[in-house]
Amino acid sequence: MKEYGLVVIGSGAGMNLVDLPLQRGEKVAVVEEGPLGGTCLNRGCIPSKVLVHVADAVREAEAAAAAGVRMELVKVDYPAIKKRMWDIVLNGRREMEEGVKHARGLDLYRGIGSFVSDHTLQVGGETIRGKKVVIASGARASVPGIPGLEKAKYHTYRTVFEIEEQPRSIVILGGGYIGCEFAHFFSAIGTKVVLVGRNPVLLPHEEPETSALVKARLSRHVEVHTGTEVVSVSQRATTFAVTIRDPAEGGEREVDGKQLLVATGVRPNTDWLKPENSGVKMDEKGWVLTDQ
């Protein structure tokens, strides 16, 4: 069994804690089951903000007309947008890989780490122990049990960046920040967007004034349904049909799109990690309990 001063599970935000122990001469282990950089670099903050920047540029050009400056959108180059996004992501990933490779005293373990006892993890066929262990493993997409969804080839935040061609239309399930960001991006580049949220407001964790403003602005370009239940999903030859129950309109109706993005929240990765074997307390949904 290898012993470390610090074991970090997850190479996203957890990497912020690595430098100081290494400078002190401690041995550090990083456990990562995916590409270096975690969700933020590869499937979250960085690539999504590259796309949001594109959408902001389009909307700002449109708004300039109110100030007396009229501009015309000639073309949206979707392949060029995606290439720029992936160039930024992959360059960042390569820089991290080089840094880890040349960091003295740092060991990288590829795979899912699971606690087998206090401060002790199993990663693949190896067992490691850390005097200190940081759980920074993030979360993964939470997919609701909507009838028909399990048979559909939908996208989540992990796969939506891989859409090869600009879709003519897309249905987005979820009115949180992920759903709103992609609704903003796709609508700005000319895709017809339908956004369906179960919560009565968009961005329910934000201030009420912010939620109301985002809904008002987004509704100029997106068909927004809040407080709406998704009854079922059906994948047809070339489209996804989503049956919704919208209390504002009464009864059920169908919306459809060429693509379907499920952005209904995230679930913790603690079922993989089994932190309870190291005395870590969790709530009923598997989130690690923390103090202030």
mmCIF file of all heavy atoms in Angstrom, residues 2 16 50 55 116 120 147 150 176 179 194 206 222 238 242 244 251 258 261 280 291:
data_model
loop_
_atom_site.group_PDB
_atom_site.id
_atom_site.type_symbol
_atom_site.label_atom_id
_atom_site.label_comp_id
_atom_site.label_asym_id
_atom_site.label_seq_id
_atom_site.Cartn_x
_atom_site.Cartn_y
_atom_site.Cartn_z
ATOM 1 N N LYS A 2 0.575 2.191 -0.894
ATOM 2 C CA LYS A 2 1.324 3.440 -0.950
ATOM 3 C C LYS A 2 0.698 4.456 -0.002
ATOM 4 O O LYS A 2 -0.523 4.583 0.076
ATOM 5 C CB LYS A 2 1.355 3.991 -2.372
ATOM 6 C CG LYS A 2 2.268 3.227 -3.314
ATOM 7 C CD LYS A 2 2.436 3.997 -4.617
ATOM 8 C CE LYS A 2 3.442 3.297 -5.532
ATOM 9 N NZ LYS A 2 3.643 4.049 -6.794
ATOM 10 N N ASN A 16 -6.503 22.634 -7.140
ATOM 11 C CA ASN A 16 -6.073 23.872 -6.480
ATOM 12 C C ASN A 16 -5.338 23.595 -5.170
ATOM 13 O O ASN A 16 -4.634 24.474 -4.653
ATOM 14 C CB ASN A 16 -7.285 24.765 -6.193
ATOM 15 C CG ASN A 16 -7.948 25.277 -7.455
ATOM 16 O OD1 ASN A 16 -7.279 25.555 -8.433
ATOM 17 N ND2 ASN A 16 -9.261 25.387 -7.441
ATOM 18 N N VAL A 50 -17.497 29.455 -23.731
ATOM 19 C CA VAL A 50 -17.098 29.745 -25.110
ATOM 20 C C VAL A 50 -18.354 29.894 -25.972
ATOM 21 O O VAL A 50 -18.458 30.815 -26.800
ATOM 22 C CB VAL A 50 -16.184 28.636 -25.671
ATOM 23 C CG1 VAL A 50 -15.891 28.883 -27.152
ATOM 24 C CG2 VAL A 50 -14.874 28.568 -24.887
ATOM 25 N N ALA A 55 -23.168 33.524 -28.227
ATOM 26 C CA ALA A 55 -24.561 33.974 -28.108
ATOM 27 C C ALA A 55 -24.637 35.430 -27.669
ATOM 28 O O ALA A 55 -25.460 36.206 -28.177
ATOM 29 C CB ALA A 55 -25.304 33.076 -27.121
ATOM 30 N N VAL A 116 -12.226 1.854 1.002
ATOM 31 C CA VAL A 116 -12.365 0.495 1.534
ATOM 32 C C VAL A 116 -12.252 0.497 3.057
ATOM 33 O O VAL A 116 -12.713 -0.434 3.721
ATOM 34 C CB VAL A 116 -11.316 -0.459 0.923
ATOM 35 C CG1 VAL A 116 -11.616 -0.683 -0.552
ATOM 36 C CG2 VAL A 116 -9.888 0.063 1.099
ATOM 37 N N THR A 120 -8.456 5.169 3.263
ATOM 38 C CA THR A 120 -7.848 4.176 2.368
ATOM 39 C C THR A 120 -8.758 3.926 1.174
ATOM 40 O O THR A 120 -9.957 3.689 1.342
ATOM 41 C CB THR A 120 -7.592 2.860 3.113
ATOM 42 O OG1 THR A 120 -6.824 3.129 4.291
ATOM 43 C CG2 THR A 120 -6.830 1.880 2.237
ATOM 44 N N PRO A 147 -41.379 8.369 -18.710
ATOM 45 C CA PRO A 147 -41.706 7.274 -19.628
ATOM 46 C C PRO A 147 -41.194 7.538 -21.040
ATOM 47 O O PRO A 147 -41.419 8.606 -21.603
ATOM 48 C CB PRO A 147 -43.244 7.230 -19.590
ATOM 49 C CG PRO A 147 -43.599 7.775 -18.240
ATOM 50 C CD PRO A 147 -42.570 8.835 -17.959
ATOM 51 N N GLU A 150 -35.819 6.469 -21.419
ATOM 52 C CA GLU A 150 -34.741 5.482 -21.374
ATOM 53 C C GLU A 150 -34.450 4.878 -22.755
ATOM 54 O O GLU A 150 -33.356 4.379 -23.007
ATOM 55 C CB GLU A 150 -35.082 4.362 -20.378
ATOM 56 C CG GLU A 150 -36.159 3.396 -20.823
ATOM 57 C CD GLU A 150 -37.587 3.918 -20.677
ATOM 58 O OE1 GLU A 150 -37.760 5.052 -20.186
ATOM 59 O OE2 GLU A 150 -38.521 3.191 -21.068
ATOM 60 N N GLY A 176 -32.702 25.103 -15.088
ATOM 61 C CA GLY A 176 -31.583 25.588 -14.291
ATOM 62 C C GLY A 176 -30.551 26.271 -15.181
ATOM 63 O O GLY A 176 -30.813 26.596 -16.339
ATOM 64 N N GLY A 179 -29.654 24.373 -18.563
ATOM 65 C CA GLY A 179 -30.695 24.505 -19.574
ATOM 66 C C GLY A 179 -30.765 25.903 -20.147
ATOM 67 O O GLY A 179 -30.906 26.096 -21.358
ATOM 68 N N VAL A 194 -37.162 24.978 -27.512
ATOM 69 C CA VAL A 194 -38.249 24.861 -26.541
ATOM 70 C C VAL A 194 -37.624 24.455 -25.219
ATOM 71 O O VAL A 194 -36.910 23.448 -25.141
ATOM 72 C CB VAL A 194 -39.309 23.826 -26.969
ATOM 73 C CG1 VAL A 194 -40.406 23.730 -25.913
ATOM 74 C CG2 VAL A 194 -39.900 24.175 -28.328
ATOM 75 N N GLU A 206 -31.502 31.328 -7.810
ATOM 76 C CA GLU A 206 -31.078 32.726 -7.891
ATOM 77 C C GLU A 206 -32.097 33.632 -7.204
ATOM 78 O O GLU A 206 -33.179 33.190 -6.800
ATOM 79 C CB GLU A 206 -30.903 33.141 -9.356
ATOM 80 C CG GLU A 206 -29.891 32.311 -10.127
ATOM 81 C CD GLU A 206 -28.496 32.402 -9.572
ATOM 82 O OE1 GLU A 206 -28.145 33.463 -9.005
ATOM 83 O OE2 GLU A 206 -27.748 31.418 -9.679
ATOM 84 N N VAL A 222 -36.985 32.147 -27.094
ATOM 85 C CA VAL A 222 -37.167 30.730 -26.757
ATOM 86 C C VAL A 222 -38.604 30.510 -26.313
ATOM 87 O O VAL A 222 -39.187 31.357 -25.618
ATOM 88 C CB VAL A 222 -36.198 30.316 -25.625
ATOM 89 C CG1 VAL A 222 -36.465 28.886 -25.161
ATOM 90 C CG2 VAL A 222 -34.744 30.466 -26.072
ATOM 91 N N THR A 238 -36.892 11.155 -37.133
ATOM 92 C CA THR A 238 -35.943 12.272 -37.208
ATOM 93 C C THR A 238 -36.143 13.315 -36.113
ATOM 94 O O THR A 238 -35.437 14.317 -36.078
ATOM 95 C CB THR A 238 -36.065 12.986 -38.569
ATOM 96 O OG1 THR A 238 -37.413 13.467 -38.746
ATOM 97 C CG2 THR A 238 -35.717 12.037 -39.705
ATOM 98 N N VAL A 242 -42.066 15.354 -27.255
ATOM 99 C CA VAL A 242 -42.167 15.444 -25.802
ATOM 100 C C VAL A 242 -43.578 15.894 -25.447
ATOM 101 O O VAL A 242 -44.020 16.970 -25.865
ATOM 102 C CB VAL A 242 -41.129 16.438 -25.241
ATOM 103 C CG1 VAL A 242 -41.250 16.521 -23.719
ATOM 104 C CG2 VAL A 242 -39.711 16.030 -25.645
ATOM 105 N N ILE A 244 -46.093 17.322 -22.814
ATOM 106 C CA ILE A 244 -46.000 18.112 -21.580
ATOM 107 C C ILE A 244 -47.393 18.459 -21.080
ATOM 108 O O ILE A 244 -48.361 18.489 -21.844
ATOM 109 C CB ILE A 244 -45.184 19.404 -21.793
ATOM 110 C CG1 ILE A 244 -45.855 20.294 -22.844
ATOM 111 C CG2 ILE A 244 -43.759 19.076 -22.198
ATOM 112 C CD1 ILE A 244 -45.167 21.654 -23.021
ATOM 113 N N GLY A 251 -54.418 21.015 -19.849
ATOM 114 C CA GLY A 251 -54.341 19.791 -20.631
ATOM 115 C C GLY A 251 -52.918 19.481 -21.073
ATOM 116 O O GLY A 251 -51.943 20.075 -20.616
ATOM 117 N N LYS A 258 -35.361 18.349 -33.168
ATOM 118 C CA LYS A 258 -34.415 17.426 -33.794
ATOM 119 C C LYS A 258 -33.459 16.827 -32.777
ATOM 120 O O LYS A 258 -32.891 15.753 -32.994
ATOM 121 C CB LYS A 258 -33.622 18.145 -34.888
ATOM 122 C CG LYS A 258 -34.453 18.566 -36.093
ATOM 123 C CD LYS A 258 -34.867 17.368 -36.904
ATOM 124 C CE LYS A 258 -35.578 17.791 -38.190
ATOM 125 N NZ LYS A 258 -36.009 16.615 -39.001
ATOM 126 N N LEU A 261 -32.084 17.662 -25.129
ATOM 127 C CA LEU A 261 -31.097 17.836 -24.075
ATOM 128 C C LEU A 261 -31.782 17.689 -22.721
ATOM 129 O O LEU A 261 -32.738 18.406 -22.427
ATOM 130 C CB LEU A 261 -30.434 19.217 -24.174
ATOM 131 C CG LEU A 261 -29.536 19.638 -23.008
ATOM 132 C CD1 LEU A 261 -28.373 18.677 -22.821
ATOM 133 C CD2 LEU A 261 -29.034 21.068 -23.204
ATOM 134 N N VAL A 280 -17.457 9.331 6.526
ATOM 135 C CA VAL A 280 -18.043 10.563 5.992
ATOM 136 C C VAL A 280 -19.567 10.444 6.013
ATOM 137 O O VAL A 280 -20.135 9.446 5.556
ATOM 138 C CB VAL A 280 -17.536 10.815 4.554
ATOM 139 C CG1 VAL A 280 -18.243 12.013 3.931
ATOM 140 C CG2 VAL A 280 -16.030 11.040 4.556
ATOM 141 N N ASP A 291 -20.087 21.352 7.282
ATOM 142 C CA ASP A 291 -20.409 22.451 8.186
ATOM 143 C C ASP A 291 -20.148 23.770 7.459
ATOM 144 O O ASP A 291 -19.919 23.793 6.254
ATOM 145 C CB ASP A 291 -19.626 22.346 9.497
ATOM 146 C CG ASP A 291 -18.122 22.303 9.273
ATOM 147 O OD1 ASP A 291 -17.675 22.737 8.180
ATOM 148 O OD2 ASP A 291 -17.395 21.866 10.167
#
